[in-house]
Amino acid sequence: MSGVWVRAFPPEEKEVFKPYDELISPRNMPDTNAQPVAYFYLFFTLNLMKQFVKETNRCHELIIHMCMIAKTFIATIGANSRVHIWLKHGQLNIKEFKEFIAVILNMGLIRKPTLEQYWKTPWFREMFSRNRFQLILKFLHVVNNKTIPSKGQQGYRPDAKFKPVIDHFNMRSKYLYKPSQKLSIDES
């Protein structure tokens, strides 16, 4: 009996494909004549920006507070440190955070070999100083470090510091586009 093939299961039923009976498209979109920034705000919401501002300011305050407690403020943060710019300028606010994001996005469009090279372009200098930008970048946070377990502790997650951003974008994606049950796997 070798060499003879025998079907070991019943034949598959032929699937009858029905035409799609629903309109599949994005939901909750801005008007077709809306400015491009309206599409940006679909994902980068005011609540997300407030979270970044709050936690960035908290991170700065924590570092300054720790230095003052250790009485090493002057030793750790010298007289010429950029941190003094933060103290002089004040806390990060929503307007400045939007400018920070605009600078980051423009850095993706305009290629320069070093960070300092961007501030040779007038637009970047008009937004804010390079030192202020670097300070915001240094303290940029979206979660309170005290609320997440450290490496080696129970419940530690390597993505904990940016997971809220991923969760936010996933939630916004579902709000803006929910695939139908009738779509194939690669479209969901």
Side-chain angles (χ1 to χ4, degrees), residues 33-168:
N33 60 349
Q35 295 290 319
V37 73
Y39 292 91
F40 172 78
Y41 287 136
L42 287 175
F43 287 95
F44 229 93
T45 63
L46 184 59
N47 285 338
L48 181 62
M49 287 188 265
K50 284 179 180 178
Q51 184 71 17
F52 268 105
V53 168
K54 175 183 160 189
E55 295 305 331
T56 300
N57 286 327
R58 182 193 317 265
C59 178
H60 170 262
E61 293 296 324
L62 180 65
I63 289 172
I64 296 300
H65 183 70
M66 286 173 28
C67 290
M68 288 182 170
I69 287 176
K71 299 191 186 281
T72 59
F73 183 72
I74 298 301
T76 306
I77 303 170
N80 295 327
S81 173
R82 292 181 181 140
V83 174
H84 296 293
I85 295 169
W86 189 286
L87 296 172
K88 178 182 167 190
H89 190 275
Q91 292 192 330
L92 179 66
N93 58 42
I94 295 290
K95 178 186 178 294
E96 193 175 34
F97 183 72
K98 287 178 181 179
E99 293 168 348
F100 175 80
I101 295 299
V103 168
I104 294 285
L105 292 174
N106 270 309
M107 286 177 161
L109 298 173
I110 303 167
R111 301 284 182 171
K112 299 283 183 180
T114 65
L115 188 68
E116 290 77 20
Q117 292 290 316
Y118 289 101
W119 270 261
K120 292 183 179 181
T121 306
W123 183 87
F124 287 92
R125 287 193 306 268
E126 289 171 13
M127 294 307 281
F128 40 71
S129 73
R130 184 197 74 218
N131 288 346
R132 179 67 175 175
F133 173 82
Q134 288 179 313
L135 278 173
I136 295 168
L137 193 59
K138 176 181 181 135
F139 297 124
L140 188 66
H141 272 70
V142 72
V143 294
N144 181 351
N145 286 348
K146 291 183 176 183
T147 64
I148 55 176
S150 299
K151 192 172 186 175
Q153 291 181 334
Q154 185 177 359
Y156 168 75
R157 291 183 57 130
D159 64 347
K161 289 191 177 192
F162 59 87
K163 187 162 181 358
V165 176
I166 294 170
D167 292 344
H168 174 82

